[in-house]
Amino acid sequence: MKLHPVKSARDIRLDDDDARVPGAGRQSGKAVERATAKQVERIATLQRVFYADGRHALLIVLQGRDASGKDGTIRKVFTAVNPQGCTVSSFGVPTPLEARHDFLWRVHAQVPPRGMIGIFNRSHYEDILVPRVHGQLDKDGMLERCEQVNDFERMLGENGVTILKFMLHVSRDEQRRRLQERIEDPEKNWKFRAGDLDDRARWDEFTRAYRAVLKHTSTKHAPWRIVPADDKPLRDRMVAETIADALDGLDLRYPKADTTVKDLTVE
Ligand code: AMP
Ligand code: MG
């Protein structure tokens, strides 16, 4: 059950059925939890050497509709990571100052330096999706921003930043359940905004915008992965494994002590 990178438009399946993993019901909840715990531990172990090595940065982009599980994924997948080696940046509606800059200004400032894992809870992709759906960006404007994003991400890649992009794909029904819970559960009220219902009403427009953006920004150096996100434990498992594998593939090593250090003795 690995997540595959989007290589062509054919890989972009965003129907309601695609929010579930086929045959997933056969796995016991306990087995999935154990598998996730293993990946979470792998991430924690690899992060130690990743931090010490200091040659690479890892940028994890989490996109998805409201209630698609971005916050939950961060809570579960990074639970064992040393907070000192990790930053989380959330992107909301641009402030007046942000809106006066180019759309990548606020984003670039949050890209992790080498040695760090940076998590984007929403991202520069909101700056394409939202204005596209709300009519402020026509098709050419959208394609222009996609090209600018591709250039930006390629530049980051050439400067030591590995980028993993996840689109958490939730079905219409599951989103309804989760939003309803936010309305009814006093402990979840704070997560709900009336605007969430406006975005839900534009479900098909967002699907179309996501499809176009995923198609035009899934590059060799920074491909998208679509995560079937209706089942939370499976979602965590798949995201955690992808991140652990990416860290594993970086050929990390602890820097060698310099020779003068080797000769010292602590009295
Ligand atoms: P949340 O992630 O629930 O805190 O909500 C953040 C809100 O900010 C979402 O409704 C996003 O769509 C919105 N948002 C984030 N970035 C942008 C953007 N660049 N333009 C417009 N809305 C945005
Ligand atoms: Mg929200």
Side-chain angles (χ1 to χ4, degrees), residues 65-67 70-71 122 179 182 190-193 196:
R65 299 172 197 265
D66 288 303
K70 299 179 292 295
D71 297 315
R122 303 190 190 266
L179 289 180
R182 289 181 179 186
W190 65 276
K191 278 199 165 196
F192 184 80
R193 290 177 317 115
D196 295 351

Side-chain angles (χ1 to χ4, degrees), residues 67-180:
S68 58
K70 299 179 292 295
D71 297 315
T73 302
I74 296 170
R75 198 170 59 242
K76 289 287 162 68
V77 171
F78 298 96
T79 188
V81 159
N82 181 348
Q84 191 159 233
C86 183
T87 57
V88 183
S89 311
S90 300
F91 295 96
V93 178
T95 63
L97 175 64
E98 287 169 349
R100 286 166 60 200
H101 281 277
D102 68 89
F103 75 102
L104 291 169
W105 179 73
R106 65 173 183 166
V107 176
H108 199 172
Q110 302 299 326
V111 170
R114 294 189 181 90
M116 296 288 287
I117 298 176
I119 303 160
F120 280 6
N121 183 345
R122 303 190 190 266
S123 67
H124 38 306
Y125 288 98
E126 291 290 317
D127 295 271
I128 310 180
L129 295 160
V130 177
R132 177 66 181 137
V133 168
H134 290 259
Q136 293 112 344
L137 260 190
D138 62 11
K139 189 169 175 215
D140 285 347
M142 175 190 72
L143 293 175
E144 187 176 84
R145 284 200 170 189
C146 286
E147 277 316 306
Q148 289 163 351
V149 161
N150 289 341
D151 289 342
F152 172 64
E153 293 182 352
R154 183 175 41 75
M155 180 278 291
L156 294 179
E158 288 165 0
N159 283 277
V161 185
T162 296
I163 306 175
L164 294 176
K165 302 189 294 201
F166 297 98
M167 192 272 178
L168 304 185
H169 172 51
V170 73
S171 69
R172 210 183 290 234
D173 238 23
E174 182 61 23
Q175 192 205 40
R176 184 182 49 71
R177 267 192 291 275
R178 292 182 190 177
L179 289 180
Q180 191 65 44

